[in-house]
Amino acid sequence: MSTDAQTPNNAQQYIDAMARERGYVLDYHKVMAQHDFEVLQATNALVRAAYLAPRALDPRTKELLFILSLTVMRAGKGHIQSHIRVALDLGVTSQEILEAIEIALPEAGIVAFQAGLDAWREVVDARGVEPTVQVHQGGSGTG
């Protein structure tokens, strides 16, 4: 049933609980809470089982895998950054995150890697070495 949430308090409480459990919520979570609460609950149950529930992989490893898979899938920068921030909160170092993103290079290529690197660079405020010779600016390569 795809209708506006008939119980706004339930939707709000659910989004707040998701934010506490995950450390982030995405725009689609917010929209689905309002417009198809039942499907949001179903998709969140899958994420909870595969990602949030304690299992064999520790949360740090899961975050690195999420960062890598989102990079390979060329997910939106904000989505990748949400997992980078959670990983940092869990004590994963910026270098470990970079190395996870670099794994995208052989399988997904430079374009996917650049998207992940750009997301990482903004979150950790990484700076590069600027050329001292005249050169055209190439930007981040992501858009």
Side-chain angles (χ1 to χ4, degrees), residues 5-140:
Q6 295 175 341
T7 53
N9 287 337
N10 287 346
Q12 184 66 58
Q13 290 171 357
Y14 197 80
I15 284 293
D16 290 346
M18 284 179 68
R20 280 190 295 275
E21 184 175 38
R22 293 171 179 236
Y24 68 92
V25 291
L26 301 172
D27 288 344
Y28 94 85
H29 297 138
K30 300 170 192 176
V31 171
M32 292 300 288
Q34 181 65 33
H35 296 282
D36 202 338
F37 189 52
E38 184 178 343
V39 171
L40 174 62
Q41 289 175 307
T43 58
N44 193 49
L46 175 61
V47 170
R48 183 177 286 119
Y51 163 59
L52 297 170
R55 300 185 66 198
L57 294 176
D58 65 275
R60 292 168 41 97
T61 302
K62 288 179 185 180
E63 286 305 326
L64 289 171
L65 290 170
F66 243 110
I67 294 163
L68 172 60
S69 64
L70 290 170
T71 296
V72 168
M73 297 296 297
R74 298 182 189 164
K77 184 190 297 184
H79 195 172
I80 298 169
Q81 288 176 331
S82 66
H83 286 279
I84 291 171
R85 288 183 185 101
V86 170
L88 291 168
D89 288 347
L90 291 170
V92 179
T93 68
S94 62
Q95 184 64 34
E96 290 170 320
I97 295 167
L98 176 59
E99 289 180 21
I101 293 168
E102 290 169 343
I103 293 171
L105 276 164
E107 299 303 326
I110 192 72
V111 174
F113 165 75
Q114 285 175 317
L117 181 69
D118 194 46
W120 173 83
R121 178 189 56 76
E122 284 185 12
V123 171
V124 302
D125 196 29
R127 308 281 179 191
V129 176
E130 294 294 329
T132 58
V133 297
Q134 186 172 350
V135 63
H136 295 288
Q137 291 300 317
S140 66

